[in-house]
Amino acid sequence: MALTVVWFITSVLSFVHSTPLILLEEEHRFKQWMSQHNKIYDTEEYYHRLQIFTDNKRTVDHHNAGNHSFTMGLNQFSDMTFEEFKKFFLLSEPQNCSATKGSHVSRTGPYPEFVDWRMKGNFVTPVKNQGHCGSCWTFSTTGCLESVNAIATGKLISLSEQQLIDCAKDFNNHGCLGGLPSQAFEYIKYNKGLMTEEDYPYKGHDDTCHFEPALAAAFVLDVVNITSFDEKAMVDAVARLNPVTFSFDVTADFLHYKDGVYTSTQCKSTADRVNHAVLAVGYGTEENGTPYWIVKNSWGTAWGKDGYFLIERGTNMCGLAVCSSYPLPSV
């Protein structure tokens, strides 16, 4: 018992001397956050996470005190460094995703100034949560096919991400280590179908494939890639046809996004740097004239704008226009 007490005191003193001063109100806020997110740590981990949380909170407060197009906030990731976050949530395998000449054929417009497929009907499933698995590409894929299918048939069916994690590896996808929606659509096309979320539920880790053809609920006739860097073609597709998948480069500031139109000077805009796949469900323009995309993420509803975010449109922000696609439904 005495040795335990000595170890505890030594750990605390070591922590105090090796880290910047943490205010009582910051520790109180951390305890509130722990309660809110059901977090429990042992003593050593507590002080380690307290320091990271405090650093993140100061980043958020500093950002929000400035003049930016978006605000930051605390969320379920606020006790993690960006390096830790990348390891668990982003694509860890480099993705070669540029379609230098896509197959999408644009029309000339005109297009509505505002589009949101969530408001057009029952065409978008609720925000899902990928958990500790780099499977964003599967959620981008299912989200798009769910919408395309619903627009074609009038029936919105939640589709299986786990089937893609387990079964789509022959199409250059890597389960929880990453993949691409366009390659996942190819898998669904040649595999002849994707099962429902209910019949093939999400586990959030790599497993063996147990696809049952008789239970396939959605099918892909063909895959449509949008030509790299052609953001106007993305607008054409979303305005006329359906939501589209895209991939982009997530950097540390995006982790704390809460509201507003996200922009970054830290991210890269080339095809070799994309590390996260999402779903554009619409677009619009801010009162100050800034155009934006409305984007569905896969980090649960506690993150961002109830699981969504806005990102600047028209500038290939963070490479969002290098790797966009959607499927043609087979119904």
Side-chain angles (χ1 to χ4, degrees):
M1 182 68 181
L3 284 173
T4 303
V5 172
V6 170
W7 173 85
F8 174 75
I9 293 172
T10 303
S11 296
V12 172
L13 288 174
S14 172
F15 171 81
V16 168
H17 287 299
S18 63
T19 55
L21 181 66
I22 292 175
L23 303 175
L24 282 175
E25 64 189 67
E26 290 175 323
E27 185 165 10
H28 177 66
R29 185 68 187 87
F30 179 54
K31 288 177 178 177
Q32 288 180 318
W33 178 89
M34 283 177 61
S35 175
Q36 179 186 351
H37 293 280
N38 299 311
K39 297 280 187 169
I40 299 171
Y41 314 103
D42 62 29
T43 303
E44 191 173 7
E45 184 76 356
Y46 172 87
Y47 285 106
H48 176 58
R49 295 298 159 190
L50 170 60
Q51 182 61 56
I52 294 169
F53 175 88
T54 301
D55 290 342
N56 284 333
K57 183 179 181 300
R58 290 174 182 177
T59 296
V60 167
D61 292 344
H62 177 74
H63 174 91
N64 290 343
N67 183 23
H68 299 281
S69 61
F70 71 101
T71 58
M72 290 184 175
L74 298 173
N75 55 43
Q76 70 267 40
F77 307 127
S78 294
D79 67 341
M80 300 178 76
T81 66
F82 185 58
E83 290 305 312
E84 288 174 322
F85 180 84
K86 281 197 297 186
K87 179 180 174 184
F88 289 116
F89 292 93
L90 300 179
L91 306 179
S92 53
E93 294 280 338
Q95 307 298 312
N96 180 20
C97 75
S98 62
T100 51
K101 186 69 178 77
S103 50
H104 174 80
V105 179
S106 292
R107 295 186 184 170
T108 55
Y111 306 115
E113 289 188 10
F114 179 81
V115 171
D116 187 342
W117 280 97
R118 296 172 298 176
M119 298 180 180
K120 286 175 172 280
N122 192 27
F123 297 137
V124 182
T125 56
V127 170
K128 303 180 186 182
N129 195 334
Q130 69 188 70
H132 283 62
C133 168
S135 55
C136 57
W137 60 280
T138 69
F139 289 86
S140 181
T141 299
T142 58
C144 195
L145 183 54
E146 287 161 353
S147 293
V148 166
N149 207 40
I151 293 164
T153 67
K155 296 179 182 178
L156 183 65
I157 304 168
S158 185
L159 299 172
S160 173
E161 295 80 26
Q162 192 65 42
Q163 181 184 333
L164 297 174
I165 290 174
D166 296 345
C167 308
K169 292 176 181 174
D170 285 347
F171 288 76
N172 199 30
N173 299 304
H174 312 283
C176 282
L177 293 178
L180 289 175
S182 58
Q183 291 162 183
F185 294 139
E186 291 282 353
Y187 157 77
I188 299 166
K189 174 183 175 180
Y190 290 103
N191 181 67
K192 296 186 169 50
L194 186 65
M195 290 165 62
T196 65
E197 191 89 63
E198 184 178 2
D199 287 336
Y200 202 144
Y202 189 66
K203 295 180 181 177
H205 59 79
D206 292 277
D207 207 344
T208 54
C209 179
H210 54 271
F211 170 66
E212 296 181 44
L215 295 178
F219 306 87
V220 169
L221 179 65
D222 209 351
V223 185
V224 181
N225 289 307
I226 295 173
T227 301
S228 281
F229 304 108
D230 191 351
E231 213 166 334
K232 289 182 180 178
M234 293 172 64
V235 170
D236 177 81
V238 172
R240 291 194 301 109
L241 302 173
N242 44 252
V244 300
T245 73
F246 72 80
S247 301
F248 70 114
D249 179 27
V250 167
T251 49
D253 55 352
F254 185 74
L255 204 62
H256 311 295
Y257 171 90
K258 181 61 185 170
D259 203 353
V261 179
Y262 177 77
T263 63
S264 175
T265 56
Q266 306 299 314
C267 62
K268 305 300 181 185
S269 58
T270 53
D272 61 323
R273 292 297 295 268
V274 300
N275 58 14
H276 189 48
V278 289
L279 183 70
V281 301
Y283 62 81
T285 305
E286 288 277 87
E287 287 183 6
N288 66 5
T290 303
Y292 60 79
W293 290 104
I294 305 168
V295 191
K296 182 185 183 185
N297 203 354
S298 53
W299 295 344
T301 55
W303 181 90
K305 294 167 63 72
D306 299 319
Y308 281 79
F309 66 97
L310 308 180
I311 186 169
E312 186 177 319
R313 173 169 57 91
T315 61
N316 187 34
M317 180 59 62
C318 300
L320 67 81
V322 300
C323 188
S324 183
S325 64
Y326 62 91
L328 294 181
S330 176
V331 293

